[in-house]
Amino acid sequence: DVSNFSAVILAFLITAWKFSIAMFALSLPIPCGCISPLYVIGAFLGRFWCHALGPLGAFTGMEQRFSDFSLIGAAAFAGAGCRSFGVVAAVAELTNSSRL
């Protein structure tokens, strides 16, 4: 499917762009937080994987939810970047969803 392929390419390009802009901003000699860029990059990566796994039949028999992949990607990437479970717990508390 051409539309899904273009969505995968677009998701990859947006993720690469956000990653490069975030790395540039974090390398500047000014104090700034790293949590927010990690959440955003993780959300883009989660959405990218949802678009990429859809045509491969990974969602057979279940609903494909882009928002769930975005939340899981944001929590996982921020948790890995900060090496802390606190940012993952913050996402779990903010969503208040037991199905994730």
Side-chain angles (χ1 to χ4, degrees), residues 12-39:
F12 176 74
L13 290 175
I14 289 173
T15 303
W17 173 78
K18 181 60 182 173
F19 185 79
S20 61
I21 294 297
M23 292 305 111
F24 173 71
L26 291 174
S27 67
L28 294 175
I30 56 173
C32 62
C34 70
I35 301 291
S36 180
L38 290 177
Y39 277 140

Side-chain angles (χ1 to χ4, degrees):
D1 187 60
V2 175
S3 63
N4 194 23
F5 181 73
S6 63
V8 171
I9 296 298
L10 183 63
F12 176 74
L13 290 175
I14 289 173
T15 303
W17 173 78
K18 181 60 182 173
F19 185 79
S20 61
I21 294 297
M23 292 305 111
F24 173 71
L26 291 174
S27 67
L28 294 175
I30 56 173
C32 62
C34 70
I35 301 291
S36 180
L38 290 177
Y39 277 140
V40 173
I41 293 170
F44 281 141
L45 283 173
R47 192 164 179 95
F48 166 73
W49 279 110
C50 189
H51 279 293
L53 293 176
L56 299 177
F59 303 108
T60 306
M62 65 179 168
E63 188 177 346
Q64 183 178 6
R65 297 178 185 250
F66 295 107
S67 60
D68 291 350
F69 272 79
S70 294
L71 284 172
I72 292 168
F77 196 77
C82 294
R83 296 182 184 177
S84 171
F85 190 70
V87 292
V88 177
V91 170
E93 290 174 2
L94 287 173
T95 58
N96 199 17
S97 175
S98 60
R99 66 181 171 86
L100 290 178

